Amino acid sequence: MSGKFAEALQNKDVLLADGATGTNLFNMGLQSGDAPELWNTDEPQKIIKLYEGSVHSGSDLFLTNTFGGTASRLKLHDAQNRVRELNRVGAELGREVADRSERDVLVAGSVGPTGEILQPVGELSHELAVEMFHEQADALKEGGVDVLWVETISAPEEFKAAAEAFKLVDMPWCGTMSFDTAGRTMMGVTSADMARLVEEFDPAPLAYGANCGTGASDILRTILGFVAQGSDRAIISKGNAGIPKYVDGHIHYDGTPELMADYAVLARDAGAKIIGGCCGTMPEHLVKMREALDTRPKGERPSLEQIVAALGPFSSERDGTEAGHNCADHAPERKGRRGGRRRA
């Protein structure tokens, strides 16, 4: 089982990943502030519907509904003692959906940030972070995932803790950071920083990249930043479906299925191997992305000007990789909890 993800990377030119978790679950009745992971046991048919939405839209892989599945995140809902149960069931439901498919579909065990800041800036120790990631990863492995997938990470220290935990459970893994602050993560990491960071791990991730962030244009600039480092490692791009706007009391993402189709092709041409959507990305977006990837011929690597012309302007003039900039100069000293969830 552990080799299926590596085989897919080797045998396919591009893999279509899934879309949003939160947006889809909110449409099914999830309330703001509720823990989606509780639905793994309370509303399993809705989680199956979530997974099937990706598979029926043509995705080659989908992530489990376990993004907030560490003890520190579940503690906010008095469910810190249910880490193994909620993650295992989330994975088992995914395995059930994937195995029913008439084609090969991969199940990726989603692991999100702990919601805490690691020492020395914050209070969470490296050892405790590893322990929490280990507990979650072990449950996802028990539930039958093909690969562990850490996402929406901002700090290199947290990425390292997850990598150490994944080594303990002996599972292949991949990971993404969220570049949402002028081409940097919230903690100041650039695309070049991340490309160097992933090469330090043993074992290294089979794929790495970016998810969430701001808009489709910005994430493609980050993808070009990864490619510029010259690594042959597979690159992941999971961009939001446009820009969030507050409409009639709800967050709405303005990216159309047609825009996401253009994004998917540009991401492939830019060098991404695994392409999906993040916040706001629905099955109808994935259908158009699948169609575009299957029917449009591969083109030359796009320029920044071509990206802007197709998808709209960048949210910032710079992406943090210019000469004279480095991670340490710009990493904010933040304290307390990190709020929010990804894949809304």
Side-chain angles (χ1 to χ4, degrees), residues 191-192 195 208 219-230 235 319 321:
S191 56
Y208 77 98
I219 201 169
L220 292 187
R221 183 169 61 177
T222 298
I223 298 306
L224 291 176
F226 293 140
V227 172
Q229 304 309 307
I235 293 173
D319 70 351
T321 61

Side-chain angles (χ1 to χ4, degrees), residues 283-330:
E284 52 264 34
H285 295 96
L286 294 173
V287 168
K288 290 296 186 181
M289 292 165 69
R290 176 82 277 169
E291 179 184 357
L293 289 171
D294 289 346
T295 60
R296 300 189 201 177
K298 185 172 175 59
E300 297 295 323
R301 186 165 296 155
S303 66
L304 296 180
E305 291 76 17
Q306 289 172 321
I307 291 172
V308 169
L311 304 178
F314 302 117
S315 63
S316 63
E317 292 184 4
R318 300 178 179 273
D319 70 351
T321 61
E322 296 81 10
H325 291 70
N326 64 68
C327 175
D329 289 340
H330 296 271

Side-chain angles (χ1 to χ4, degrees), residues 32-60:
S32 179
D34 290 348
E37 295 76 21
L38 296 179
W39 271 23
N40 292 342
T41 55
D42 296 348
E43 299 280 0
Q45 291 306 313
K46 292 183 178 180
I47 301 306
I48 288 174
K49 182 180 178 181
L50 168 73
Y51 296 158
E52 288 178 339
S54 298
V55 174
H56 295 164
S57 299
S59 294
D60 298 301

